[in-house]
Amino acid sequence: MSVAWITLVGVLGALIGSFGNVVVHRWPLGLSVVRPRSRCPRCERTLGPLDLVPIVSWLVLRARCRSCGAPISARYPLVEGAMALGFVVLAIAYPVERAGLSVVPLLVLFAMLLMAALIDFDTYLLPDALTLPALAIALLGAFVYDPALGLPTPREALFGAAVAAGVLVLINRIGALVLRRFADTGERLWPLSLDTVNVAALAGALGGLLAALVAGALQTVASAALRRPLRLHEGALYALWVAALIAVAAGAGRLWGVGPIEALGGSVAGAGAFALLGAIWWWVADWRGGAGSQQVVTDATTKPEDDDGEPVAMGFGDVKLAGVLGAMLGWEAFLVALLYAVVLGAVVGVTARALGGSRFVPFGPFLVIGAFLALASADALLAWYLGLLGL
Ligand SMILES: [Zn+2]
């Protein structure tokens, strides 16, 4: 293994971590991440190259500003260290000699996901401008991976993104429905919206993935033609969804040739596909100055409060983040990641409450941690599970 390569990647990680600190601080405030140069928040002296050496400057300056002595948070060197460590671990796990450039998309994703997790931790928001480009990188990365590594193929990445986003969007919809005591949403977006997701979920539960995609496409076209959302009452729709899944699980699907796994998988992947397409649609529409329509989507669902001011389990930002992770891991390892995230989130949430903190804990950081734990352990876990089944 080339020590020079790993050192280079580690130093690169520390430098990107340093830039990441700037991104995490400024992006949520709507400031440029390039200009002006960083300065001390108290004495406003512009920081020179000697103040900006990752980790080292903080240690040498003993966590204080060179000119005014204002304390510098330990978070800066910690983020730089975490980025460097992640980069080094990935460079060792995917050695360039054997795996070629497979590690490059993973390094880019690690950097983007660490920044996204920190922004979510600080603000409860996951910026689309970070998650949606990361989704593109995770999908394109699948074309670069060495097939021997067990990373997803392009097809598996696409399916993984849809399943992962689908799991989270269905938890989001059903969670919100329970919190509203099964009243309908006030959402009135078209052509692509949560109504499209709901219709695709129901059609998938009856007929599998192809049915979900066709139904979602028809709902989109019909909504565009009507210039209003074509919708079913959400409570009624999910009652039908549960009934359809039970009927297919009981064997009724044999009448029209659909098995239970196909129905559940098709429902989840179809719902997730339209959730991600909708996210991309509204992001692009907002970019082109689409009258703040994006706000309608994100504000209603990414904040820890629903329409009635009640906390929701997961926001829509987590749906997009899950899409990235599903594309990076494939659907099987994504489910392992989700399991890690739920367990870690519960432990941290309960601990925080026990220590007197009433702070809402965002789910995104746990999903990101779970994803990299799953990347490290999914093969071992799967082998253990298959061994348990005697396969
Ligand atoms: Zn200062």
Side-chain angles (χ1 to χ4, degrees), residues 22-175:
V22 177
V23 171
V24 168
H25 177 67
R26 293 189 187 173
W27 201 337
L29 301 172
L31 302 173
S32 162
V33 297
V34 195
R35 283 160 190 277
R37 302 241 329 257
S38 298
R39 51 178 99 188
C40 169
R42 196 207 274 173
C43 68
E44 305 208 318
R45 191 182 65 93
T46 300
L47 302 184
L50 283 178
D51 303 298
L52 292 169
V53 184
I55 309 168
V56 178
S57 289
W58 187 84
L59 292 172
V60 171
L61 295 171
R62 296 185 186 182
R64 303 214 162 262
C65 168
R66 189 187 296 277
S67 35
C68 74
I72 308 169
S73 168
R75 178 164 148 171
Y76 295 104
L78 284 175
V79 168
E80 289 156 358
M83 193 74 87
L85 182 68
F87 270 45
V88 166
V89 170
L90 285 167
I92 292 171
Y94 300 95
V96 72
E97 298 89 344
R98 278 193 289 123
L101 293 177
S102 301
V103 75
V104 174
L106 295 175
L107 292 175
V108 176
L109 286 169
F110 179 78
M112 294 177 91
L113 289 168
L114 182 57
M115 290 181 214
L118 288 164
I119 291 175
D120 194 20
F121 181 78
D122 289 345
T123 66
Y124 310 123
L125 290 171
L126 285 159
D128 285 351
L130 206 48
T131 50
L132 295 178
L135 176 63
I137 288 166
L139 291 172
L140 293 174
F143 288 92
V144 177
Y145 302 141
D146 184 317
L149 294 173
L151 290 163
T153 62
R155 215 189 135 126
E156 287 165 351
L158 197 59
F159 189 65
V163 169
V167 170
L168 280 246
V169 81
L170 288 173
I171 292 173
N172 172 296
R173 290 336 295 151
I174 292 165

Side-chain angles (χ1 to χ4, degrees), residues 24 30 39 55 72 103 113 130 151 177 179 183 186 214 225 227 239 246 268 289 294 300 315 377 381 385:
V24 168
R39 51 178 99 188
I55 309 168
I72 308 169
V103 75
L113 289 168
L130 206 48
L151 290 163
L177 203 54
L179 288 171
V214 170
R227 305 183 65 77
I246 291 173
V268 171
Q294 170 74 355
S377 66
L381 266 179
Y385 184 66

